[in-house]
């Protein structure tokens, strides 16, 4: 059996992880050009896995191809990030209000298990991949109890977009573990309002961290409208 395709795939994954780390750490800044030949030489690999890694980075929104410049590190699309955060807050807090009164012990056990594994994932070698899997497992264990296929489908679609946006951010510096603990505690107490507030704060805080210190939310944005409807008048990013 020819193992060459699997070896090349593994090499492409390693190149992807290496470049992603350099992007989220700020070593590679928006607009910096990524030369496949230079990358291949510096990592001691052929150009094939580098090209595949750049395609993965392009799909994740971390790089873009520009005429006459080639592949460059992409800017974060602020308007898209705001829209995704707004829709997530609106739909996920709705799911919370339906699901929490229906929670079963098995749902809480699934959330607890995902939460307990999150710390190791954040300290591991495949942070992004493992975090995304456990994060989805944690939240969907709750939202599925809403028993609304249409609502869940929209939440899962937005989760995929949120994961691509998170590719720009070093998850090891985020508050997800602490936020999940607060959400889980409120779920165990069956405190629907506390879970809704914690969920809003979880999404909003992560959004603001990813946007950076200079980020200013526009008062006429979809996100500002959703926050106003939830009773959040301080656009600096804290839940009521």
């Amino acid at each position: 059996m020819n193992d060459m395709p699997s070896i090349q795939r593994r090499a492409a994954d390693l190149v992807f992880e290496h470049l992603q780390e350099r992007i989220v750490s700020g070593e590679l800044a928006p607009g910096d050009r990524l030369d496949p030949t230079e990358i291949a030489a510096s990592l001691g690999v052929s150009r094939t896995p580098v090209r595949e890694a750049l395609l993965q980075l392009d799909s994740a929104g971390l790089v873009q191809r520009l005429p006459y410049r080639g592949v460059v590190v992409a800017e974060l699309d602020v308007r898209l990030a705001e829209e995704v955060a707004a829709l997530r807050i609106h739909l996920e807090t709705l799911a919370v209000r339906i699901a929490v009164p229906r929670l079963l012990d098995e749902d809480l056990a699934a959330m607890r298990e995902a939460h307990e594994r999150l710390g190791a994932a954040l300290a591991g070698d495949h942070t992004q991949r493992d975090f995304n899997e456990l994060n989805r497992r944690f939240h969907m264990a709750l939202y599925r109890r809403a028993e609304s296929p249409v609502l869940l489908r929209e939440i899962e679609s937005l989760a995929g977009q949120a994961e691509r946006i998170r590719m720009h951010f070093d998850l090891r510096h985020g508050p997800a573990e602490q936020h999940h603990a607060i959400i889980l505690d409120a779920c165990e107490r069956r405190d629907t309002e506390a879970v809704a507030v914690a969920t809003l704060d979880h999404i909003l805080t992560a959004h603001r961290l990813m946007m950076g210190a200079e980020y200013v939310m526009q008062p006429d944005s979809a996100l500002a409208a959703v926050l106003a409807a939830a009773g959040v008048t301080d656009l600096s990013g804290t839940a009521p």
Side-chain angles (χ1 to χ4, degrees), residues 23 29-36 53-77 168:
I23 291 170
D32 284 354
R33 183 171 178 271
L34 301 179
D35 184 285
L54 291 176
L55 287 173
Q56 291 182 54
L57 290 166
D58 192 7
S59 296
L62 288 173
V63 303
Q64 60 184 143
R65 298 178 184 276
L66 297 179
Y68 311 113
R69 290 201 61 199
V71 179
V72 301
V73 178
E75 295 271 5
L76 181 61
D77 188 332
H168 293 260

Side-chain angles (χ1 to χ4, degrees), residues 59-139:
S59 296
L62 288 173
V63 303
Q64 60 184 143
R65 298 178 184 276
L66 297 179
Y68 311 113
R69 290 201 61 199
V71 179
V72 301
V73 178
E75 295 271 5
L76 181 61
D77 188 332
V78 175
R79 290 180 65 87
L80 174 63
E82 282 190 340
E83 186 175 357
V84 169
L87 290 169
R88 287 187 62 211
I89 288 171
H90 181 66
L91 296 179
E92 292 184 36
T93 54
L94 172 61
V96 161
R97 295 182 192 285
I98 301 170
V100 170
R102 302 176 177 177
L103 277 173
L104 304 177
D105 289 344
E106 63 196 60
D107 305 320
L108 294 171
M111 293 177 70
R112 196 175 301 112
E113 194 243 345
H115 173 63
E116 289 171 353
R117 293 176 56 188
L118 193 64
L122 290 171
D125 295 329
H126 305 286
T127 299
Q128 198 82 34
R129 182 196 66 195
D130 294 344
F131 173 88
N132 285 338
E133 178 185 348
L134 291 169
N135 186 61
R136 278 206 188 211
R137 206 179 289 181
F138 178 86
H139 290 289

Side-chain angles (χ1 to χ4, degrees), residues 24-240:
V24 300
S25 69
E27 181 183 346
L28 290 171
D32 284 354
R33 183 171 178 271
L34 301 179
D35 184 285
T37 301
E38 292 179 2
I39 295 169
S42 68
L43 297 178
V45 298
S46 71
R47 284 170 55 92
T48 298
V50 174
R51 285 196 298 267
E52 292 180 6
L54 291 176
L55 287 173
Q56 291 182 54
L57 290 166
D58 192 7
S59 296
L62 288 173
V63 303
Q64 60 184 143
R65 298 178 184 276
L66 297 179
Y68 311 113
R69 290 201 61 199
V71 179
V72 301
V73 178
E75 295 271 5
L76 181 61
D77 188 332
V78 175
R79 290 180 65 87
L80 174 63
E82 282 190 340
E83 186 175 357
V84 169
L87 290 169
R88 287 187 62 211
I89 288 171
H90 181 66
L91 296 179
E92 292 184 36
T93 54
L94 172 61
V96 161
R97 295 182 192 285
I98 301 170
V100 170
R102 302 176 177 177
L103 277 173
L104 304 177
D105 289 344
E106 63 196 60
D107 305 320
L108 294 171
M111 293 177 70
R112 196 175 301 112
E113 194 243 345
H115 173 63
E116 289 171 353
R117 293 176 56 188
L118 193 64
L122 290 171
D125 295 329
H126 305 286
T127 299
Q128 198 82 34
R129 182 196 66 195
D130 294 344
F131 173 88
N132 285 338
E133 178 185 348
L134 291 169
N135 186 61
R136 278 206 188 211
R137 206 179 289 181
F138 178 86
H139 290 289
M140 293 310 295
L142 167 59
Y143 301 154
R144 281 196 195 94
R145 193 51 63 190
E147 299 175 0
S148 173
V150 175
L151 179 58
L152 292 181
R153 185 165 61 246
E154 296 303 318
I155 288 174
E156 288 183 324
S157 175
L158 289 165
Q161 295 192 58
E163 286 169 7
R164 286 191 290 275
I165 293 168
R166 276 199 298 270
M167 297 293 286
H168 293 260
F169 181 69
D170 189 344
L171 294 168
R172 290 166 295 190
H173 299 155
E177 196 170 5
Q178 302 95 302
H179 284 186
H180 283 194
I182 295 169
I183 291 170
L184 178 58
D185 175 71
C187 283
E188 289 175 333
R189 292 185 283 106
R190 304 302 201 279
D191 188 335
T192 301
E193 191 57 31
V195 180
V197 169
T199 298
L200 184 156
D201 191 46
H202 177 47
I203 297 170
L204 181 57
T205 301
H207 169 76
R208 294 192 62 86
L209 283 172
M210 287 186 286
M211 294 300 98
E214 302 302 316
Y215 169 68
V216 176
M217 189 188 307
Q218 295 303 309
D220 61 348
S221 67
L223 182 53
V226 166
L227 294 177
V232 181
T233 55
D234 178 5
L235 298 187
S236 64
T238 54

Side-chain angles (χ1 to χ4, degrees), residues 1-10:
M1 182 179 294
N2 187 354
D3 291 332
M4 189 59 67
S6 61
I7 293 172
Q8 288 185 346
R9 167 49 51 199
R10 179 58 183 154

